[in-house]
Amino acid sequence: MGLKVLMIGAYPLEPGMVHGGIESVTSALVPALAAQDAIDHVAVLRFHHGEASTDYRRVGPKFEVYYVRTLNRLRLITGYFLYVRKARKLVAALKPDIVHGQGLDHGDVAQKCSPNSVVTVHGLPHVEIKWSSRFRTTTRRNSAE
């Protein structure tokens, strides 16, 4: 029996319409994960602000995307409370083995939803390392220096 993965992060709202670096990363990473024999299922949780044409898209036999609408302006004030609440509902339904957050904001949500979480930090290392202190576990910096 293989792993079930839930990735939380930016993913294209429409097939083939990639906007930005993190969407580019996730749109390449997720199908590659789903193609692995050791992976049984990959789901993506994509928070958006009203732009998605659907709430759900099955991309392949082992790969699906959930688009969840949220309020952009309140996310920092509420500490991503609504994001976490919606993510926890999906975690309870899917029962993933690991929750992978793309970026610090989604990584924070991932860590609040599962003790088995991974955070991929994107951006400027000196800024990201400073902000990484809010995570429960030690942060490992992986660079190609």
Side-chain angles (χ1 to χ4, degrees), residues 7-112:
M7 184 170 299
I8 303 173
Y11 190 82
L13 294 169
E14 297 296 330
M17 301 290 292
V18 176
H19 301 286
I22 298 176
E23 274 191 24
S24 179
V25 168
T26 56
S27 65
L29 176 61
V30 173
L33 280 173
Q36 300 298 311
D37 291 336
I39 305 290
D40 277 351
H41 181 257
V42 180
V44 175
L45 174 55
R46 167 55 150 108
F47 293 109
H48 67 93
H49 312 293
E51 310 93 356
S53 62
T54 184
D55 294 335
Y56 174 82
R57 180 172 287 120
R58 174 150 299 276
V59 181
K62 295 179 2 180
F63 173 22
E64 59 190 345
V65 183
Y66 294 85
Y67 297 97
V68 175
R69 186 173 183 190
T70 58
L71 298 173
N72 188 33
R73 66 177 178 239
L74 297 177
R75 69 179 186 222
L76 295 176
I77 295 169
T78 64
Y80 290 92
F81 172 78
L82 295 175
Y83 285 47
V84 172
R85 195 172 97 195
K86 292 179 182 202
R88 283 182 176 161
K89 285 179 78 173
L90 189 58
V91 166
L94 297 177
K95 297 181 180 20
D97 297 302
I98 191 157
V99 178
H100 183 174
Q102 289 285 338
L104 290 178
D105 52 352
H106 294 114
D108 192 33
V109 173
Q111 286 202 330
K112 289 176 180 173

